[in-house]
Amino acid sequence: MKNISQEDYISIIYKHRDGGGVIKSNTIAERMNISNAAVTDMVRKLSRDGLINYTRYKGVSLTGSGETKAINLIRRHRILESFLYKIVKMPWEKVHEEVENLEHGASDDLVNRLEVMLEYPEYDPHGDPIPDKKGKMPKARSAVRLDLLPTEKSAIVVRVNDYDHEFLRYVASVGITMSSEVKVKSQLNFDKSIVLTVDGNDINMSQKMASNIFVQEKKNRIK
Amino acid sequence: MKNISQEDYISIIYKHRDGGGVIKSNTIAERMNISNAAVTDMVRKLSRDGLINYTRYKGVSLTGSGETKAINLIRRHRILESFLYKIVKMPWEKVHEEVENLEHGASDDLVNRLEVMLEYPEYDPHGDPIPDKKGKMPKARSAVRLDLLPTEKSAIVVRVNDYDHEFLRYVASVGITMSSEVKVKSQLNFDKSIVLTVDGNDINMSQKMASNIFVQEKKNRIK
DNA sequence: GATATAATTTAAGCACACTTAAATTTATAA
DNA sequence: TTATAAATTTAAGTGTGCTTAAATTATATC
Ligand SMILES: [Mn+2]
Ligand SMILES: [Mn+2]
Ligand SMILES: [Mn+2]
Ligand SMILES: [Mn+2]
C-alpha cells in the first residue's frame, strides 16, 4: 500500500548513480544515513520487485520500471518545491525539507494540477530540471562548479545541490540563492577553500561546499 | 520518526467517540477496515505512549496529549482540504481522499502559511470546523440531519460527513454540495428512504446516506 | 441466574525496515 | 603473490502494524 521507503531508495539511486548507471551499496547507506546491512536487505526487496538489477557484491542499477518510478517521484518532488516556493512563498532554503515529507503523499492528479498553475515550469527552485508528464527531462543547463570557476570572473548561480538541509540553510544565510551574482576572488592552496564576493560581501567557503554550487559565467560586454 | 498509523488512530478516535468521549474497539476496527486484533495491539501502544486511556474490555478515550495531537492532525487535514479546494481548485469530492495521504507529511509551518493565504477559514469544504493554532474550534453551526428534515421545507446543505470517499463521490454526482438547496418531498415508510429535490431534480436517497448530510432550514419569508 | 451471543483479547505468525556484530568477498598495496 | 584493508553480506534480533484462529470476557435473553 505505502512504499515510502522504496520510493526514497529508488530516488537516491537515480540521483547518485555514476555515469554507467551504477551505485555502490555504501553510497546509498551514506546518503540515507543508515547501515550497510539495511541497504543489503532493501536492495534484495527492490530486486525481487523488479525495480533494480542486483548481483551480490556488485553495485545496483535501476531497471526500466525502476527508473520510471524514480522519475515520477522526482517530478512530484520538484513540482511541489516549485509550488511551495512560487505560490505559497515558503523560503527558498525550507522547501526541500518540507517536500521530503510531502512528496510521498501527493497524487499524480494533484501534481498535474500544480504544474498547470505554475505554467509548466522547467526548473525547480534549486535549478534542477523538472520531468514532464511523460518523464522527459528538459535539457540541463550548462554550468560550472563554483570551485572550478576561474578567479575574477563574474558568474550567476543557476543550480545548487539540494542533498543536505544544513548546506542549503547555510548557503541561504550567506546570501546565495538562484541568480545570485558571484565572483571568486581567490583560491587558497592551503585547504582549497575559496574567497568569493556575493552582494558586495566577501565570504570564505570550503571547496566541498563550493563544489555543490553551479554557476554560469557572465559574458562581459567589451566596450 | 513517522507515526502515521498512530495519527490515523488518534483522529479516528477523536471523530467517532461518543458523548462521554469513549469509543469501542469495534468501531475503530470498522472505521479503519482492519481486524479487532490489530486494534487491540495498537491500543496498547497508544496507551503505553500516553495518548489514550485504556483498560481491557472497556472502550478507549483520549488523554489530554492525545486530544492535542488529534486536534493538530484535524487542523492539518481541514486546512489542506480548504487549500486544495479554494486555491488549487481541486473538485469538492476529491479533496478528502487526497488529503488523507498528504496530511501526515505537512509541517505546522506549512499549514500556518496556508491558513494565512486562506485568510483564516472557519470551516472546511465539507462544513467541518477548523481548529485554530491553539486548538480552539469555531462553534459548530446548528444543523439538522437531512433524514430528520420535515417534508416540504427548503433547506441549505451546511455539512457533509467526509467519512467515506464513495459516499462523497456519490453525493457530488447527484448534484449535492455545500450550500445546495434541498427539499424533502416524501419519506418512504418501506425502507425509510427519502425523495428529495435538488436543482429541480428528484432523487431517492437511503436513510443512511441522508443521515450523513446536515442542513439548515430556510426561513421562508411570509409575504 | 444460567445460557447463548456478541465483543474483545490472546496466541501465533508474517512482511517491512531498521540495528549491531561476525563472516565473507573484493580491492590495494607490499 | 600474498597479506591487509575496505566493502559488502550474513546472522541474529527489535519494533511496528497487520493477519487468522482460538480463548476469554461481557451483554442480552429467557
Ligand atoms: Mn529537493
Ligand atoms: Mn530541488
Ligand atoms: Mn476530510
Ligand atoms: Mn473535510
Side-chain angles (χ1 to χ4, degrees):
Chain A
M1 204 96 287
K2 38 178 103 90
N3 33 355
I4 295 180
S5 260
Q6 286 208 0
E7 284 192 339
D8 280 332
Y9 273 86
I10 290 293
S11 118
I12 290 285
I13 293 169
Y14 182 93
K15 284 193 281 191
H16 295 99
R17 65 196 174 163
D18 64 25
V22 174
I23 186 173
K24 287 186 297 171
S25 184
N26 229 349
T27 312
I28 300 176
E30 265 169 38
R31 291 255 91 102
M32 303 195 69
N33 241 317
I34 54 175
S35 70
N36 280 308
V39 174
T40 304
D41 229 55
M42 177 58 96
V43 136
R44 269 205 303 257
K45 289 170 194 162
L46 293 170
S47 174
R48 175 200 63 188
D49 296 349
L51 298 171
I52 63 168
N53 305 116
Y54 168 61
T55 21
R56 273 159 63 257
Y57 290 105
K58 310 288 164 197
V60 310
S61 65
L62 293 170
T63 62
S65 90
E67 181 154 338
T68 301
K69 266 210 150 88
I71 291 174
N72 177 271
L73 180 65
I74 286 168
R75 172 174 155 81
R76 275 181 276 155
H77 183 102
R78 294 184 181 164
I79 286 179
L80 283 167
E81 277 187 353
S82 304
F83 184 77
L84 292 188
Y85 182 61
K86 285 273 179 77
I87 290 172
V88 181
K89 312 284 186 205
M90 181 171 273
W92 181 80
E93 69 277 12
K94 281 191 172 183
V95 294
H96 174 78
E97 196 166 5
E98 184 77 35
V99 170
E100 210 55 63
N101 297 313
L102 222 44
E103 58 188 1
H104 305 285
S107 72
D108 287 341
D109 177 53
L110 172 59
V111 169
N112 292 343
R113 284 173 200 277
L114 299 183
E115 186 185 32
V116 172
M117 278 183 83
L118 289 160
E119 296 173 28
Y120 301 91
E122 292 203 290
Y123 299 96
D124 85 356
H126 310 100
D128 287 311
I130 301 176
D132 70 15
K133 224 170 289 190
K134 290 176 183 159
K136 190 164 164 271
M137 289 273 188
K139 207 183 295 175
R141 284 170 295 198
S142 70
V144 169
R145 267 166 48 186
L146 180 55
D147 62 320
L148 302 177
L149 180 70
T151 54
E152 294 304 330
K153 300 260 183 190
S154 277
I156 302 295
V157 175
V158 296
R159 190 163 73 78
V160 172
N161 277 335
D162 62 2
Y163 299 157
D164 187 275
H165 311 139
E166 213 188 344
F167 164 69
L168 285 175
R169 272 197 300 275
Y170 181 75
V171 164
S173 79
V174 299
I176 292 177
T177 187
M178 278 311 97
S179 304
S180 288
E181 185 170 340
V182 296
K183 188 195 288 182
V184 177
K185 294 186 77 175
S186 58
Q187 172 139 28
L188 286 68
N189 243 326
F190 173 62
D191 60 353
K192 308 287 180 210
S193 73
I194 60 177
V195 178
L196 56 118
T197 312
V198 190
D199 287 338
N201 296 319
D202 282 6
I203 46 180
N204 179 283
M205 181 177 275
S206 75
Q207 197 252 341
K208 178 169 181 185
M209 199 165 264
S211 73
N212 282 284
I213 299 173
F214 300 84
V215 299
Q216 256 173 17
E217 239 180 88
K218 255 183 113 171
K219 302 277 172 243
N220 281 318
R221 289 268 171 73
I222 298 147
K223 59 159 176 260
Chain B
M1 203 97 287
K2 40 179 102 92
N3 33 356
I4 295 180
S5 259
Q6 286 207 1
E7 284 192 340
D8 279 333
Y9 273 87
I10 290 294
S11 117
I12 290 286
I13 294 168
Y14 182 92
K15 285 195 279 189
H16 294 100
R17 64 196 176 162
D18 65 24
V22 174
I23 186 174
K24 287 186 297 171
S25 185
N26 229 348
T27 311
I28 300 175
E30 266 169 38
R31 292 255 89 103
M32 302 195 71
N33 241 317
I34 54 174
S35 70
N36 280 308
V39 173
T40 304
D41 229 55
M42 178 56 96
V43 136
R44 270 204 302 255
K45 288 169 193 162
L46 293 170
S47 173
R48 174 200 64 191
D49 297 348
L51 298 172
I52 62 168
N53 305 114
Y54 169 61
T55 22
R56 273 159 64 258
Y57 290 103
K58 311 286 165 199
V60 311
S61 65
L62 293 169
T63 62
S65 91
E67 182 154 339
T68 300
K69 268 211 149 88
I71 290 173
N72 178 272
L73 180 65
I74 285 168
R75 173 174 155 81
R76 276 182 276 154
H77 183 101
R78 295 184 180 165
I79 285 179
L80 284 167
E81 278 187 353
S82 304
F83 184 76
L84 292 188
Y85 181 62
K86 286 271 178 80
I87 290 172
V88 181
K89 312 287 185 201
M90 181 171 272
W92 180 79
E93 69 277 12
K94 282 191 171 182
V95 295
H96 174 77
E97 195 165 7
E98 184 77 35
V99 170
E100 210 57 61
N101 298 312
L102 222 45
E103 58 188 2
H104 306 285
S107 73
D108 286 341
D109 178 50
L110 173 59
V111 169
N112 292 343
R113 284 174 200 276
L114 300 183
E115 186 184 33
V116 172
M117 279 182 83
L118 289 160
E119 296 172 30
Y120 300 93
E122 291 202 290
Y123 299 95
D124 84 357
H126 310 101
D128 287 310
I130 300 176
D132 71 14
K133 223 171 291 192
K134 291 175 182 157
K136 192 163 162 268
M137 289 274 187
K139 206 183 296 175
R141 284 171 296 197
S142 70
V144 169
R145 266 166 49 186
L146 180 54
D147 63 319
L148 303 177
L149 181 70
T151 55
E152 294 304 331
K153 299 259 183 191
S154 277
I156 302 296
V157 174
V158 297
R159 190 164 74 79
V160 171
N161 278 335
D162 63 2
Y163 299 156
D164 187 276
H165 312 138
E166 214 189 342
F167 164 69
L168 284 175
R169 272 197 299 275
Y170 181 75
V171 164
S173 78
V174 299
I176 292 176
T177 188
M178 278 312 96
S179 305
S180 288
E181 185 170 337
V182 295
K183 187 197 286 185
V184 178
K185 294 185 78 176
S186 60
Q187 172 138 26
L188 284 67
N189 243 328
F190 173 61
D191 62 352
K192 305 287 179 211
S193 73
I194 60 176
V195 177
L196 57 117
T197 310
V198 191
D199 286 338
N201 296 320
D202 281 7
I203 45 179
N204 179 282
M205 181 176 274
S206 74
Q207 198 251 341
K208 178 169 181 186
M209 199 164 262
S211 72
N212 282 284
I213 299 173
F214 300 84
V215 299
Q216 257 173 17
E217 239 180 90
K218 257 184 110 172
K219 300 280 172 241
N220 282 318
R221 289 269 172 73
I222 297 148
K223 59 159 175 257

